[in-house]
Amino acid sequence: MKLDRKKDISPKYLLLTFTIICIVLLLLSYFAGDNLAFIRKYTAKIVTPFQKGVNEIGLWTDSKLENIKKIEELNEENRALKEQLEQSRREATVYQNRLLELEKLQKLYKLDEIYPELNMTAAHVFSKTSSSWFSEFYIDKGRKDGVFEGANVLCGEGLCGIITKCYDDYSRVRTLIDDSSNVSAKCIPSSALCTVEGSLAVYKDGFLRVTGIDRAAKVSIGDKVVTSDISDRYHPGLLIGYITEVSNDTNNLTVTAHITPACDYNNITDVLIITEKKATVLED
Amino acid sequence: MKRFITLAVLIFINFILQSTLFGFHDMNHITPNLLLILTMSFGLMRGRKEGMLVGFFCGFLVDAIFSPVLGPFMFLYMILGYMNGVFHKNYVVEDVMLPLVVIILDELLFNTAIYIVSFLLRNHLNYGDYFMDIILPETVYTTLLTVVIYKVNVFINRKLKEEA
């Protein structure tokens, strides 16, 4: 009976009704988001397991296909590698000596301070946003695992993003290349403060944009860019990338640079989350 | 009832695929808009009302999982579903051109709307760059997939009609 009645309504009025529903939901979720949180919670409970499942299947088939393709290649490679091994063994001794020297030098540069000992937890990526405009992804750790909003996310050897929304058992991560991302950073070794901006237009060439570097600071290609000590959201000293291009701004005071990110955004499957909050000054 | 369940399952499958399989672990990847293809197919094949409802629930899933507030994508998908339903009177089963033209228009409208709301209002004025980098590739990708997926949807719709 219900269905029959529905068919009698003109599509125009139905459109009007649903538009009003949309606007009401929009206003409600904007001004009183917590009251509608249950909608998200239950939808996510149904959807996320499927996303995780499909993701697993995808990863599994991907690895199997790779395996089949690679068997022949590997056999050939194996032969070549055995020859190389002999040669490498001889070289290894030389390098071991050099390594000792490097360690000494690294201590001088205080590079080992770049990753201070922070508590971290690992997580899997199971989904990304459905549109091409935003560079955000979802991980399978949430509030229950000690993750919180504003936690820093690392991938590979560098900073990858920040958690912008945290639910009970999953959370959303905004990457540094997202168009709305801004990170306070500094260049090493000159310690000039700067801002790392994500930008769709620049990232298509594989770069992030760094603005506001003091012109007096000697910044050159190859310098490291790490998170600054004054940021209130990021732990200090996390590697962001290496400077690859420097250009003077028209105001003659600052320099803008392009950096190559340290983290490979084309293949993010596992990430590390820093589960320690940065100590900040409490505001009254 | 059977139609209702089938549509629900279709929306669900398309949503899962769009958020996982396509654009797999690639943050700078163009994702084809499968949900838009679904909305377009049923709007075209069944008229304004069904196009609108399919769009509404597609948008609901996107909003509930990905968007900070509920509503915007719901409205966008719904309006597009409704507008595609207007073309229902021109619908012929064998026609291939109409769905392709409609999906191209849909993609342009959909992405331009996102651009206006979340980029233009933040003073990112170079529409040309965004058009070349995101809108155009996504449109091409989605249009190519439409050729295949639309056929599947037509088949499902025919089966549902035969049984009703």
Side-chain angles (χ1 to χ4, degrees):
Chain A
M1 282 306 284
K2 246 185 182 173
L3 281 171
D4 284 335
R5 223 187 302 147
K6 234 183 192 172
K7 269 176 193 158
D8 295 330
I9 310 169
S10 153
K12 274 180 209 161
Y13 294 117
L14 211 57
L15 180 71
L16 197 67
T17 325
F18 275 97
T19 310
I20 292 170
I21 294 177
C22 277
I23 294 171
V24 169
L25 277 175
L26 190 70
L27 293 175
L28 264 181
S29 60
Y30 188 75
F31 290 110
D34 297 339
N35 295 336
L36 287 176
F38 71 93
I39 297 184
R40 276 165 202 285
K41 200 174 151 191
Y42 290 113
T43 333
K45 272 226 168 98
I46 302 169
V47 172
T48 45
F50 280 93
Q51 286 178 323
K52 281 178 194 167
V54 173
N55 220 350
E56 287 296 315
I57 297 170
L59 279 175
W60 185 81
T61 37
D62 209 40
S63 65
K64 289 287 170 253
L65 282 176
E66 285 281 287
N67 279 351
I68 295 167
K69 247 192 284 173
K70 276 189 178 160
I71 287 176
E72 253 177 68
E73 273 176 47
L74 284 176
N75 276 339
E76 218 163 282
E77 228 178 277
N78 196 18
R79 226 171 297 135
L81 283 176
K82 267 179 189 159
E83 282 168 30
Q84 263 185 32
L85 185 68
E86 273 308 299
Q87 200 187 336
S88 300
R89 271 195 187 132
R90 259 172 277 140
E91 282 175 12
T93 350
V94 182
Y95 285 124
Q96 257 164 8
N97 290 335
R98 285 191 191 169
L99 198 69
L100 282 176
E101 203 182 333
L102 183 73
E103 266 170 23
K104 242 186 277 167
L105 287 172
Q106 271 178 340
K107 260 180 204 156
L108 282 177
Y109 272 115
K110 292 191 177 162
L111 281 183
D112 54 345
E113 264 181 30
I114 277 183
Y115 287 120
E117 281 172 25
L118 294 163
N119 283 331
M120 295 190 199
T121 174
H124 289 294
V125 177
F126 69 87
S127 166
K128 64 164 262 182
T129 40
S130 63
S131 92
S132 316
W133 290 90
F134 308 102
S135 308
E136 291 176 332
F137 60 83
Y138 287 74
I139 52 171
D140 61 353
K141 288 269 168 84
R143 239 178 254 131
K144 284 178 188 161
D145 310 286
V147 176
F148 53 92
E149 267 163 43
N152 303 164
V153 178
L154 303 175
C155 178
E157 49 178 309
L159 181 67
C160 155
I162 190 164
I163 290 181
T164 47
K165 194 81 197 160
C166 201
Y167 304 91
D168 275 350
D169 43 16
Y170 72 102
S171 17
R172 182 170 74 208
V173 179
R174 190 184 63 207
T175 55
L176 295 183
I177 57 172
D178 189 86
D179 212 75
S180 54
S181 159
N182 263 315
V183 185
S184 160
K186 69 174 178 188
C187 306
I188 282 180
S190 66
S191 346
L193 289 174
C194 53
T195 312
V196 176
E197 291 170 5
S199 159
L200 276 174
V202 177
Y203 189 71
K204 71 164 189 246
D205 303 321
F207 299 129
L208 291 168
R209 189 195 283 134
V210 185
T211 55
I213 308 169
D214 192 348
R215 202 174 167 187
K218 293 260 179 319
V219 175
S220 51
I221 289 167
D223 282 4
K224 269 188 179 161
V225 175
V226 300
T227 48
S228 79
D229 306 295
I230 54 164
S231 162
D232 53 359
R233 291 197 292 173
Y234 293 93
H235 288 274
L238 304 176
L239 180 63
I240 299 174
Y242 300 92
I243 293 180
T244 34
E245 229 179 277
V246 185
S247 59
N248 287 328
D249 287 344
T250 42
N251 61 17
N252 243 349
L253 294 169
T254 53
V255 170
T256 299
H258 285 174
I259 60 173
T260 311
C263 148
D264 180 13
Y265 289 98
N266 294 328
N267 190 20
I268 296 182
T269 49
D270 297 281
V271 293
L272 287 172
I273 305 141
I274 300 177
T275 51
E276 259 173 65
K277 281 193 174 139
K278 184 172 181 182
T280 45
V281 182
L282 286 174
E283 280 176 42
D284 293 320
Chain B
M1 197 58 199
K2 196 154 195 178
R3 176 167 282 273
F4 178 77
I5 295 170
T6 319
L7 278 178
V9 171
L10 269 181
I11 293 174
F12 195 70
I13 293 174
N14 276 284
F15 175 76
I16 300 285
L17 286 183
Q18 184 169 337
S19 64
T20 52
L21 212 56
F22 291 95
F24 198 64
H25 296 307
D26 191 342
M27 284 304 119
N28 203 35
H29 201 285
I30 297 299
T31 319
N33 207 329
L34 296 181
L35 291 173
L36 199 60
I37 300 179
L38 190 72
T39 310
M40 185 277 298
S41 307
F42 280 88
L44 213 57
M45 291 186 298
R46 301 281 300 173
R48 288 180 286 179
K49 207 187 287 177
E50 201 160 313
M52 190 180 97
L53 288 173
V54 170
F56 183 82
F57 288 107
C58 286
F60 173 77
L61 273 183
V62 174
D63 271 339
I65 304 291
F66 293 131
S67 145
V69 285
L70 288 170
F73 279 100
M74 260 186 233
F75 183 69
L76 203 53
Y77 277 109
M78 184 179 75
I79 281 286
L80 286 174
Y82 183 85
M83 289 193 328
N84 293 345
V86 175
F87 293 100
H88 178 54
K89 58 178 184 289
N90 305 74
Y91 168 69
V92 188
V93 185
E94 296 83 20
D95 195 359
V96 192
M97 279 319 282
L98 183 66
L100 292 186
V101 172
V102 172
I103 197 78
I104 291 173
L105 289 177
D106 278 356
E107 271 286 331
L108 294 180
L109 279 174
F110 183 88
N111 284 313
T112 307
I114 297 180
Y115 164 74
I116 290 172
V117 173
S118 51
F119 287 82
L120 189 64
L121 296 183
R122 286 196 296 126
N123 203 15
H124 289 218
L125 302 174
N126 42 348
Y127 181 71
D129 284 356
Y130 290 110
F131 184 82
M132 291 310 285
D133 292 343
I134 291 176
I135 301 181
L136 198 61
E138 189 182 313
T139 309
V140 172
Y141 204 167
T142 310
T143 313
L144 286 177
L145 276 177
T146 305
V147 178
V148 183
I149 296 176
Y150 182 72
K151 286 276 170 222
V152 178
N153 288 340
V154 167
F155 175 77
I156 292 170
N157 187 42
R158 205 172 60 214
K159 280 276 164 221
L160 283 172
K161 236 180 190 170
E162 276 168 12
E163 285 184 20

